[in-house]
Amino acid sequence: MRVRRTLFRKYVFVFVTVIGSMLIVRGLIELYISYRDNRAAIVRLQKEKAATAALRIEHFIREIQGQIRWVSHPIFMAQEQAAEQRRLDFLWLLHQVPSVTEVSHLDATGKEQLRVSRLNVDEVGSQKDHSAEPKFLGAMTGNVYFGPVYFRNESEPYMTLSMKWQGPGAGVTAAELNLKLVWDVVSQVKAGEKGYAYVVDPRGILIAHDDISLVLQKTDLSRLPQVQAAISAVRGSGAEVLEAGIGRDQRGESVFTGSSSIDPLGWSVFVEQPASEAFSPLYDSILSTLALLALGLGLAVVTCLILARSMARPIQALQAGAARIGAGALDQRIEVRTGDELEMLADQFNSMATQLQASYANLEQKVAERTRELTQALEQLKALGEVSQALSSTLNLEEVLTTIVTRAVQLSGTAGGVVYEYVEARQEFHPRVAHQMEEELFEAVRGTPIRLGEAAIGRAAVNRAPFQVSDILDDHDYGATHLQPILVRLGYRSLLAMPLLREERIVGGLVVWCREPCKFSTEVVNLLQTFATQSVMAMENARLFREVEEKGRDLETASRHKSQFLANMSHELRTPLNAILGYTELILDNVYGDVSEKVRDVLARLEQSGRHLLALINDVLDLSKIEAGHLTLSLSEYSMQDVVQTVFTGVEALAAEKGLVLKTTVVPDLPTGYGDERRLHQVLLNLVGNAIKFTEAGEVDIEAKAFDSAFLVVVSDTGPGIPPPDQAKIFEEFRQVDSTSTRKKGGTGLGLSISKRIVEMHGGRIWVDSTPGKGSVFSFTIPFRTERPRGWHGQADSDDRGQ
Amino acid sequence: MKHREIALSILLAFAILAEQPATNAQQTGKVYRIGYLGITTSGFETDPRHCPIEGSPNWQAFIGGVRDRGYIPGQNLAFDCRWTEDQDDRAAPLAAELVSLKPDLLVVNGTYLVRAAKRATSTIPIIMYGVIDPVGRGLVSSLAHPGGNVTGLSDSLAEMEGKRLQFLKEIAPNVSRVAVFNRSNRSEIWRRYLDASAQALGLTLQDYYVKGPEEFVNAFAAMTRAGEEALYVVPTGLWEMGDSPQRMVEFAAQSRLPATYQNRRFVEAGGLMSYCVDEPAIRRRIGIYVDKILNGANPGDLPVEQPNSFKLIINLKTATALGLTIPHTLLILADEVIQ
């Protein structure tokens, strides 16, 4: 079973996930909104600041413009005075406007009439021709000309501002403005700690910056995206729109930028703040949100752990407890004190465990008991088996009875036992075998046998039932016997006697005794009853066997006598018979003189009778040999063809005499046979002889062929046939079909039975097919090779060595 | 139990994280060293490191500018000051001495000393000030990109020399001979402007070379003898030493020479006029360079700043004493008229 400990983790996971995801989602939404708002706010702010700054710069320039205008007015005086006045005006301008480094007056033709400078020496009436210069031309056309930013000494940004004025001495006032002073305006623009403002001209060149050194280096910012967007807006193409106010600074870092343009000049003012700084409040807020989130998560985790723990623990305790109980530790109790259904469940488990424990104990006890009983029963069965085995394996009554009494004593748990045989004639119990019986006691019961009705066994026998003596000392009746003192002295107190009965007849007894006053339980009594029955059986078997043995011996003797007798008798019978036949033949051969026809007839009949008698005697002898099992086959190789031929030759004359046609058909290429040729010849002769004898007219056929690795010989005649009921009987001894015809035909009636025996001894078969009136067909099969002749019962004789 | 420990450690982690990391605005206790090479303490008291405790207004402006950037002398900033006291041969050894103290940067006053500092080190950044025409004088390769290890602020523009002469002529229109009070006969770019201006104004210039204040007597005597009508004092730090300004002014007064000086101090002391840059403002801006360089900027990439504004200061009393009236043109332009 896989160990699963995931409940706690599941709870924790679920809780943490739920709470955590809620917290995170909320936090993220807040952050996003905050970010978005912040960004928008910052950009707005930048833009405002830029607009303000633009406005201030424009104002600054316009101020200067105004101041210049102030000095750009016709002076209604004489020329010299006018020039002087103008000079004073210009000096006043220089004083007022620190940005103006130089201011000059060009006349209407563009010739310089006056130049007042901070650095250079003032020049009056130099008449330098500036008519082709943009500061003159621009002013003349547009009234006010704002020149492009240029750098003096490669480092100082300057701008020309010129304006036209009308009136006498009209002309153009051109001033050179040092734009470094714009820095003052720009540097006051503060956008956060790291924020700054700067101004670029329409080319994107830096004119003013918080860090003036950048200006002095003529920095070109036209590559920055926000600058590009602004200057293209100024140019009017306005195609590029800056994305959400995010630009880049020179280092490539992101900045928030707002810009505004200063129209007449075409400058662009930028107010920027590094994105990192701009976002720092946002980052702070993110951090704090994250910190809070993390704290919240942490608390959630802790809470979840605690909660999950408190939820999972009782369940785990239940699981562990149930596992323990399930594993068999039934004395374990589950401790759950949650005061809810879980506690109830635990209590249920505990009560279940208690019950299980009790029932186990009970069960164990019962099992132990049963096991004991079973063991006992098994022992008994084993003993019985042993006894049965003994019974069936040995006919030695002593051995069997000893086994019985030994086992009986062992299994009944008694001290000893004895088996008695009952001698009916004397009505006495004689001990046959004993187990653990003292010599003294055995001698006592042998010397003075117990009589019927005496002692335990006597009474048991009388009652035809087991008899118990619980305590020898107690039972008065028992005290009367001569055995009691001995028993008491030997220490025995109680005994049980079983009568051995066969069909209500007493054949003996089985007695067992104990040292203590045993109460022989029903089981023991039954057990001993079984043993008693076994003993009876054993005795009976022994007796039967004895009888059978005797009878067998008698039979054997009888058979021996008979054979001996027959052998003797046949010899005795044959001798005079041979004499009769011999002499008869002699007489017929006229050895003793002529013999008259009448006498010849008589003598011929005499000879015939004699021969018949001789045949009968031979047959009887043969049959008795066969029956005694003394007929043996002498096996050798033979040719069936020859056998048939010999028989044919033998009966040829006889058939001719009766006018029967005799035919033989022998299949060519018959194999060589292996068997008793003489006996086979006898069989065939018997069959053919019978055929001829019983057929009045017609023919007799002899066929010999091979069939299924055996010779098949068929003798068929056209005789009267044999009715079916008789067909089996004819093979029995001394039988012919019809006793009347027997007498007519002669024959002993032995031939077919002998033939049958011989055929079967070869391992073949013989049968007859016949239809009354149509004739008979006698067939027999003889295996080609007869290796082991069979015994006279038809069983294979395994001991036969093939004589 | 395992879980309790996990819970506790989580809580602990938060406690630590929740504490915002303190933004470290201040540097971690590092003390920066600045070496200062100057001409004269002008009699102001100095501390064991030879730096003025209070110092002149210019010095205060300098220190003020440095403080504004967050560098507090005595806390995260230490000065080492050396003064040549107008002894040229002391420039090189003093420069070397300062360099050997391994300062983070040097602040050097005046072209001559800057040259000595440049010879003493080519790696330690040098912030120069009080120099005229640094490109022309070979201190930097260009104003926008100085290159090398020198940058700083230029004190004057060469053109100004011409302008000064014009003002002198304006205040004393009858003057035709002008004595040029010069420290050495080093001819430099500004001289061109001076000569051109003289020519344009129709003035004759005569040089008077003075090695030190001890030669004032002779110089002025010579001027008187030559009949010089005005005095043009070529600005140099030497005149600032000790009571030289006072003496100079006295001599000029004695000789009845309208004179133009290099800065306000002289005018305060009784000199007639001066057209000069706003020196304290310039010195204040040194702090910007100090901050940038200490934060890792390369001096060669910091452009040299030139003065934005120029101040015309006239001493009315002196003018009156000399019998001069200040013309309107000067009055209008003048930034200050001292009574």
PDB file of all heavy atoms in Angstrom, chain A residues 573-592 603 606-608 610-611 614:
ATOM      1  N   LEU A 573      -4.469 -96.835 -18.786  1.00  0.00           N
ATOM      2  CA  LEU A 573      -5.552 -97.027 -19.772  1.00  0.00           C
ATOM      3  C   LEU A 573      -4.970 -97.310 -21.153  1.00  0.00           C
ATOM      4  O   LEU A 573      -5.464 -98.172 -21.884  1.00  0.00           O
ATOM      5  CB  LEU A 573      -6.410 -95.779 -19.841  1.00  0.00           C
ATOM      6  CG  LEU A 573      -7.374 -95.561 -18.684  1.00  0.00           C
ATOM      7  CD1 LEU A 573      -8.040 -94.199 -18.779  1.00  0.00           C
ATOM      8  CD2 LEU A 573      -8.434 -96.635 -18.647  1.00  0.00           C
ATOM      9  N   ARG A 574      -3.901 -96.526 -21.474  1.00  0.00           N
ATOM     10  CA  ARG A 574      -3.371 -96.642 -22.841  1.00  0.00           C
ATOM     11  C   ARG A 574      -2.739 -97.996 -23.089  1.00  0.00           C
ATOM     12  O   ARG A 574      -2.862 -98.541 -24.173  1.00  0.00           O
ATOM     13  CB  ARG A 574      -2.348 -95.539 -23.076  1.00  0.00           C
ATOM     14  CG  ARG A 574      -2.995 -94.347 -23.762  1.00  0.00           C
ATOM     15  CD  ARG A 574      -1.938 -93.614 -24.534  1.00  0.00           C
ATOM     16  NE  ARG A 574      -1.134 -92.880 -23.600  1.00  0.00           N
ATOM     17  CZ  ARG A 574      -1.071 -91.586 -23.535  1.00  0.00           C
ATOM     18  NH1 ARG A 574      -1.804 -90.865 -24.355  1.00  0.00           N
ATOM     19  NH2 ARG A 574      -0.319 -91.032 -22.641  1.00  0.00           N
ATOM     20  N   THR A 575      -2.073 -98.493 -22.082  1.00  0.00           N
ATOM     21  CA  THR A 575      -1.356 -99.754 -22.296  1.00  0.00           C
ATOM     22  C   THR A 575      -2.292-100.859 -22.768  1.00  0.00           C
ATOM     23  O   THR A 575      -2.063-101.464 -23.823  1.00  0.00           O
ATOM     24  CB  THR A 575      -0.612-100.173 -21.006  1.00  0.00           C
ATOM     25  OG1 THR A 575       0.116 -99.066 -20.511  1.00  0.00           O
ATOM     26  CG2 THR A 575       0.286-101.345 -21.259  1.00  0.00           C
ATOM     27  N   PRO A 576      -3.363-101.189 -21.986  1.00  0.00           N
ATOM     28  CA  PRO A 576      -4.210-102.283 -22.476  1.00  0.00           C
ATOM     29  C   PRO A 576      -4.884-101.917 -23.775  1.00  0.00           C
ATOM     30  O   PRO A 576      -5.096-102.776 -24.663  1.00  0.00           O
ATOM     31  CB  PRO A 576      -5.234-102.484 -21.360  1.00  0.00           C
ATOM     32  CG  PRO A 576      -5.090-101.353 -20.424  1.00  0.00           C
ATOM     33  CD  PRO A 576      -3.833-100.684 -20.676  1.00  0.00           C
ATOM     34  N   LEU A 577      -5.204-100.593 -23.881  1.00  0.00           N
ATOM     35  CA  LEU A 577      -5.871-100.153 -25.108  1.00  0.00           C
ATOM     36  C   LEU A 577      -4.988-100.338 -26.312  1.00  0.00           C
ATOM     37  O   LEU A 577      -5.431-100.793 -27.380  1.00  0.00           O
ATOM     38  CB  LEU A 577      -6.263 -98.679 -24.977  1.00  0.00           C
ATOM     39  CG  LEU A 577      -7.295 -98.167 -25.985  1.00  0.00           C
ATOM     40  CD1 LEU A 577      -8.542 -99.027 -25.945  1.00  0.00           C
ATOM     41  CD2 LEU A 577      -7.631 -96.728 -25.691  1.00  0.00           C
ATOM     42  N   ASN A 578      -3.749-100.022 -26.152  1.00  0.00           N
ATOM     43  CA  ASN A 578      -2.790-100.252 -27.242  1.00  0.00           C
ATOM     44  C   ASN A 578      -2.706-101.729 -27.560  1.00  0.00           C
ATOM     45  O   ASN A 578      -2.602-102.113 -28.729  1.00  0.00           O
ATOM     46  CB  ASN A 578      -1.412 -99.728 -26.857  1.00  0.00           C
ATOM     47  CG  ASN A 578      -1.318 -98.210 -27.082  1.00  0.00           C
ATOM     48  OD1 ASN A 578      -2.039 -97.717 -27.961  1.00  0.00           O
ATOM     49  ND2 ASN A 578      -0.492 -97.546 -26.341  1.00  0.00           N
ATOM     50  N   ALA A 579      -2.802-102.500 -26.497  1.00  0.00           N
ATOM     51  CA  ALA A 579      -2.758-103.967 -26.728  1.00  0.00           C
ATOM     52  C   ALA A 579      -3.942-104.365 -27.572  1.00  0.00           C
ATOM     53  O   ALA A 579      -3.794-105.131 -28.561  1.00  0.00           O
ATOM     54  CB  ALA A 579      -2.746-104.685 -25.382  1.00  0.00           C
ATOM     55  N   ILE A 580      -5.131-103.857 -27.186  1.00  0.00           N
ATOM     56  CA  ILE A 580      -6.357-104.221 -27.903  1.00  0.00           C
ATOM     57  C   ILE A 580      -6.235-103.834 -29.361  1.00  0.00           C
ATOM     58  O   ILE A 580      -6.488-104.638 -30.283  1.00  0.00           O
ATOM     59  CB  ILE A 580      -7.577-103.548 -27.282  1.00  0.00           C
ATOM     60  CG1 ILE A 580      -7.834-104.066 -25.879  1.00  0.00           C
ATOM     61  CG2 ILE A 580      -8.829-103.711 -28.177  1.00  0.00           C
ATOM     62  CD1 ILE A 580      -8.869-103.352 -25.080  1.00  0.00           C
ATOM     63  N   LEU A 581      -5.834-102.563 -29.531  1.00  0.00           N
ATOM     64  CA  LEU A 581      -5.733-102.077 -30.913  1.00  0.00           C
ATOM     65  C   LEU A 581      -4.670-102.828 -31.699  1.00  0.00           C
ATOM     66  O   LEU A 581      -4.869-103.169 -32.873  1.00  0.00           O
ATOM     67  CB  LEU A 581      -5.378-100.571 -30.890  1.00  0.00           C
ATOM     68  CG  LEU A 581      -6.517 -99.643 -30.497  1.00  0.00           C
ATOM     69  CD1 LEU A 581      -5.985 -98.235 -30.304  1.00  0.00           C
ATOM     70  CD2 LEU A 581      -7.603 -99.634 -31.573  1.00  0.00           C
ATOM     71  N   GLY A 582      -3.606-103.111 -31.004  1.00  0.00           N
ATOM     72  CA  GLY A 582      -2.533-103.802 -31.695  1.00  0.00           C
ATOM     73  C   GLY A 582      -2.971-105.178 -32.182  1.00  0.00           C
ATOM     74  O   GLY A 582      -2.766-105.536 -33.359  1.00  0.00           O
ATOM     75  N   TYR A 583      -3.492-105.873 -31.207  1.00  0.00           N
ATOM     76  CA  TYR A 583      -3.936-107.228 -31.544  1.00  0.00           C
ATOM     77  C   TYR A 583      -5.025-107.196 -32.592  1.00  0.00           C
ATOM     78  O   TYR A 583      -5.040-108.043 -33.499  1.00  0.00           O
ATOM     79  CB  TYR A 583      -4.391-107.977 -30.318  1.00  0.00           C
ATOM     80  CG  TYR A 583      -3.244-108.522 -29.514  1.00  0.00           C
ATOM     81  CD1 TYR A 583      -2.992-108.083 -28.213  1.00  0.00           C
ATOM     82  CD2 TYR A 583      -2.345-109.507 -30.062  1.00  0.00           C
ATOM     83  CE1 TYR A 583      -1.917-108.596 -27.493  1.00  0.00           C
ATOM     84  CE2 TYR A 583      -1.270-109.985 -29.340  1.00  0.00           C
ATOM     85  CZ  TYR A 583      -1.059-109.517 -28.044  1.00  0.00           C
ATOM     86  OH  TYR A 583       0.015-109.989 -27.349  1.00  0.00           O
ATOM     87  N   THR A 584      -5.912-106.263 -32.482  1.00  0.00           N
ATOM     88  CA  THR A 584      -6.998-106.166 -33.456  1.00  0.00           C
ATOM     89  C   THR A 584      -6.434-105.969 -34.859  1.00  0.00           C
ATOM     90  O   THR A 584      -6.852-106.616 -35.830  1.00  0.00           O
ATOM     91  CB  THR A 584      -7.921-105.011 -33.109  1.00  0.00           C
ATOM     92  OG1 THR A 584      -8.322-105.077 -31.762  1.00  0.00           O
ATOM     93  CG2 THR A 584      -9.141-104.950 -34.006  1.00  0.00           C
ATOM     94  N   GLU A 585      -5.477-105.080 -34.896  1.00  0.00           N
ATOM     95  CA  GLU A 585      -4.840-104.812 -36.178  1.00  0.00           C
ATOM     96  C   GLU A 585      -4.170-106.049 -36.728  1.00  0.00           C
ATOM     97  O   GLU A 585      -4.227-106.351 -37.923  1.00  0.00           O
ATOM     98  CB  GLU A 585      -3.809-103.714 -36.010  1.00  0.00           C
ATOM     99  CG  GLU A 585      -3.653-102.896 -37.312  1.00  0.00           C
ATOM    100  CD  GLU A 585      -2.841-101.674 -37.093  1.00  0.00           C
ATOM    101  OE1 GLU A 585      -3.125-100.900 -36.129  1.00  0.00           O
ATOM    102  OE2 GLU A 585      -1.883-101.444 -37.893  1.00  0.00           O
ATOM    103  N   LEU A 586      -3.520-106.726 -35.801  1.00  0.00           N
ATOM    104  CA  LEU A 586      -2.855-107.949 -36.207  1.00  0.00           C
ATOM    105  C   LEU A 586      -3.860-108.910 -36.776  1.00  0.00           C
ATOM    106  O   LEU A 586      -3.625-109.544 -37.806  1.00  0.00           O
ATOM    107  CB  LEU A 586      -2.129-108.566 -35.027  1.00  0.00           C
ATOM    108  CG  LEU A 586      -0.774-107.931 -34.681  1.00  0.00           C
ATOM    109  CD1 LEU A 586      -0.197-108.582 -33.423  1.00  0.00           C
ATOM    110  CD2 LEU A 586       0.251-108.015 -35.815  1.00  0.00           C
ATOM    111  N   ILE A 587      -4.965-109.072 -36.060  1.00  0.00           N
ATOM    112  CA  ILE A 587      -5.979-110.016 -36.510  1.00  0.00           C
ATOM    113  C   ILE A 587      -6.479-109.580 -37.882  1.00  0.00           C
ATOM    114  O   ILE A 587      -6.601-110.380 -38.806  1.00  0.00           O
ATOM    115  CB  ILE A 587      -7.140-110.141 -35.524  1.00  0.00           C
ATOM    116  CG1 ILE A 587      -6.664-110.733 -34.213  1.00  0.00           C
ATOM    117  CG2 ILE A 587      -8.304-110.971 -36.125  1.00  0.00           C
ATOM    118  CD1 ILE A 587      -7.674-110.718 -33.101  1.00  0.00           C
ATOM    119  N   LEU A 588      -6.716-108.313 -38.015  1.00  0.00           N
ATOM    120  CA  LEU A 588      -7.224-107.833 -39.308  1.00  0.00           C
ATOM    121  C   LEU A 588      -6.200-108.044 -40.410  1.00  0.00           C
ATOM    122  O   LEU A 588      -6.543-108.203 -41.580  1.00  0.00           O
ATOM    123  CB  LEU A 588      -7.549-106.359 -39.208  1.00  0.00           C
ATOM    124  CG  LEU A 588      -8.876-106.049 -38.514  1.00  0.00           C
ATOM    125  CD1 LEU A 588      -9.013-104.538 -38.295  1.00  0.00           C
ATOM    126  CD2 LEU A 588     -10.058-106.533 -39.332  1.00  0.00           C
ATOM    127  N   ASP A 589      -4.981-107.986 -40.015  1.00  0.00           N
ATOM    128  CA  ASP A 589      -3.905-108.240 -41.001  1.00  0.00           C
ATOM    129  C   ASP A 589      -3.705-109.716 -41.254  1.00  0.00           C
ATOM    130  O   ASP A 589      -2.743-110.109 -41.913  1.00  0.00           O
ATOM    131  CB  ASP A 589      -2.610-107.647 -40.498  1.00  0.00           C
ATOM    132  CG  ASP A 589      -2.611-106.130 -40.709  1.00  0.00           C
ATOM    133  OD1 ASP A 589      -3.460-105.605 -41.492  1.00  0.00           O
ATOM    134  OD2 ASP A 589      -1.743-105.439 -40.076  1.00  0.00           O
ATOM    135  N   ASN A 590      -4.614-110.500 -40.706  1.00  0.00           N
ATOM    136  CA  ASN A 590      -4.597-111.949 -40.928  1.00  0.00           C
ATOM    137  C   ASN A 590      -3.356-112.603 -40.379  1.00  0.00           C
ATOM    138  O   ASN A 590      -2.888-113.614 -40.885  1.00  0.00           O
ATOM    139  CB  ASN A 590      -4.731-112.292 -42.412  1.00  0.00           C
ATOM    140  CG  ASN A 590      -6.076-111.885 -42.958  1.00  0.00           C
ATOM    141  OD1 ASN A 590      -7.065-111.819 -42.235  1.00  0.00           O
ATOM    142  ND2 ASN A 590      -6.108-111.629 -44.248  1.00  0.00           N
ATOM    143  N   VAL A 591      -2.806-111.963 -39.417  1.00  0.00           N
ATOM    144  CA  VAL A 591      -1.639-112.587 -38.782  1.00  0.00           C
ATOM    145  C   VAL A 591      -2.026-113.874 -38.101  1.00  0.00           C
ATOM    146  O   VAL A 591      -1.276-114.855 -38.089  1.00  0.00           O
ATOM    147  CB  VAL A 591      -1.005-111.626 -37.775  1.00  0.00           C
ATOM    148  CG1 VAL A 591       0.077-112.281 -36.929  1.00  0.00           C
ATOM    149  CG2 VAL A 591      -0.430-110.431 -38.523  1.00  0.00           C
ATOM    150  N   TYR A 592      -3.220-113.862 -37.510  1.00  0.00           N
ATOM    151  CA  TYR A 592      -3.655-115.055 -36.789  1.00  0.00           C
ATOM    152  C   TYR A 592      -4.619-115.874 -37.607  1.00  0.00           C
ATOM    153  O   TYR A 592      -5.465-116.556 -37.104  1.00  0.00           O
ATOM    154  CB  TYR A 592      -4.271-114.662 -35.451  1.00  0.00           C
ATOM    155  CG  TYR A 592      -3.301-114.000 -34.526  1.00  0.00           C
ATOM    156  CD1 TYR A 592      -3.289-112.609 -34.399  1.00  0.00           C
ATOM    157  CD2 TYR A 592      -2.362-114.772 -33.819  1.00  0.00           C
ATOM    158  CE1 TYR A 592      -2.375-112.022 -33.567  1.00  0.00           C
ATOM    159  CE2 TYR A 592      -1.443-114.155 -32.993  1.00  0.00           C
ATOM    160  CZ  TYR A 592      -1.455-112.778 -32.874  1.00  0.00           C
ATOM    161  OH  TYR A 592      -0.544-112.175 -32.043  1.00  0.00           O
ATOM    162  N   LEU A 603     -14.447-106.715 -36.024  1.00  0.00           N
ATOM    163  CA  LEU A 603     -13.125-106.286 -35.595  1.00  0.00           C
ATOM    164  C   LEU A 603     -12.894-104.826 -35.974  1.00  0.00           C
ATOM    165  O   LEU A 603     -12.284-104.069 -35.234  1.00  0.00           O
ATOM    166  CB  LEU A 603     -12.055-107.167 -36.213  1.00  0.00           C
ATOM    167  CG  LEU A 603     -11.869-108.529 -35.542  1.00  0.00           C
ATOM    168  CD1 LEU A 603     -10.859-109.365 -36.326  1.00  0.00           C
ATOM    169  CD2 LEU A 603     -11.381-108.390 -34.103  1.00  0.00           C
ATOM    170  N   LEU A 606     -14.560-102.721 -33.709  1.00  0.00           N
ATOM    171  CA  LEU A 606     -13.800-102.819 -32.476  1.00  0.00           C
ATOM    172  C   LEU A 606     -12.617-101.863 -32.499  1.00  0.00           C
ATOM    173  O   LEU A 606     -12.356-101.137 -31.513  1.00  0.00           O
ATOM    174  CB  LEU A 606     -13.294-104.275 -32.302  1.00  0.00           C
ATOM    175  CG  LEU A 606     -13.202-104.773 -30.882  1.00  0.00           C
ATOM    176  CD1 LEU A 606     -14.602-104.914 -30.268  1.00  0.00           C
ATOM    177  CD2 LEU A 606     -12.547-106.160 -30.865  1.00  0.00           C
ATOM    178  N   GLU A 607     -11.933-101.892 -33.668  1.00  0.00           N
ATOM    179  CA  GLU A 607     -10.758-101.027 -33.816  1.00  0.00           C
ATOM    180  C   GLU A 607     -11.164 -99.557 -33.710  1.00  0.00           C
ATOM    181  O   GLU A 607     -10.539 -98.757 -33.017  1.00  0.00           O
ATOM    182  CB  GLU A 607     -10.084-101.314 -35.154  1.00  0.00           C
ATOM    183  CG  GLU A 607      -8.666-100.705 -35.229  1.00  0.00           C
ATOM    184  CD  GLU A 607      -8.063-100.915 -36.604  1.00  0.00           C
ATOM    185  OE1 GLU A 607      -8.725-101.430 -37.538  1.00  0.00           O
ATOM    186  OE2 GLU A 607      -6.889-100.481 -36.783  1.00  0.00           O
ATOM    187  N   GLN A 608     -12.219 -99.246 -34.416  1.00  0.00           N
ATOM    188  CA  GLN A 608     -12.728 -97.878 -34.390  1.00  0.00           C
ATOM    189  C   GLN A 608     -13.043 -97.437 -32.965  1.00  0.00           C
ATOM    190  O   GLN A 608     -12.647 -96.357 -32.539  1.00  0.00           O
ATOM    191  CB  GLN A 608     -13.981 -97.806 -35.273  1.00  0.00           C
ATOM    192  CG  GLN A 608     -14.231 -96.373 -35.771  1.00  0.00           C
ATOM    193  CD  GLN A 608     -15.463 -96.352 -36.621  1.00  0.00           C
ATOM    194  OE1 GLN A 608     -16.233 -97.327 -36.740  1.00  0.00           O
ATOM    195  NE2 GLN A 608     -15.705 -95.193 -37.252  1.00  0.00           N
ATOM    196  N   GLY A 610     -11.865 -98.608 -30.352  1.00  0.00           N
ATOM    197  CA  GLY A 610     -10.620 -98.522 -29.609  1.00  0.00           C
ATOM    198  C   GLY A 610      -9.899 -97.218 -29.886  1.00  0.00           C
ATOM    199  O   GLY A 610      -9.432 -96.541 -28.962  1.00  0.00           O
ATOM    200  N   ARG A 611      -9.830 -96.904 -31.136  1.00  0.00           N
ATOM    201  CA  ARG A 611      -9.171 -95.645 -31.487  1.00  0.00           C
ATOM    202  C   ARG A 611      -9.907 -94.467 -30.886  1.00  0.00           C
ATOM    203  O   ARG A 611      -9.280 -93.520 -30.389  1.00  0.00           O
ATOM    204  CB  ARG A 611      -9.103 -95.500 -33.010  1.00  0.00           C
ATOM    205  CG  ARG A 611      -8.072 -96.402 -33.614  1.00  0.00           C
ATOM    206  CD  ARG A 611      -7.623 -95.892 -34.978  1.00  0.00           C
ATOM    207  NE  ARG A 611      -6.988 -97.000 -35.667  1.00  0.00           N
ATOM    208  CZ  ARG A 611      -5.766 -97.425 -35.358  1.00  0.00           C
ATOM    209  NH1 ARG A 611      -5.027 -96.803 -34.429  1.00  0.00           N
ATOM    210  NH2 ARG A 611      -5.265 -98.484 -35.963  1.00  0.00           N
ATOM    211  N   LEU A 614      -8.951 -94.208 -27.439  1.00  0.00           N
ATOM    212  CA  LEU A 614      -7.591 -93.693 -27.313  1.00  0.00           C
ATOM    213  C   LEU A 614      -7.580 -92.183 -27.486  1.00  0.00           C
ATOM    214  O   LEU A 614      -6.923 -91.456 -26.706  1.00  0.00           O
ATOM    215  CB  LEU A 614      -6.692 -94.370 -28.362  1.00  0.00           C
ATOM    216  CG  LEU A 614      -5.186 -94.055 -28.214  1.00  0.00           C
ATOM    217  CD1 LEU A 614      -4.680 -94.644 -26.895  1.00  0.00           C
ATOM    218  CD2 LEU A 614      -4.400 -94.660 -29.378  1.00  0.00           C
TER     219      LEU A 614
END
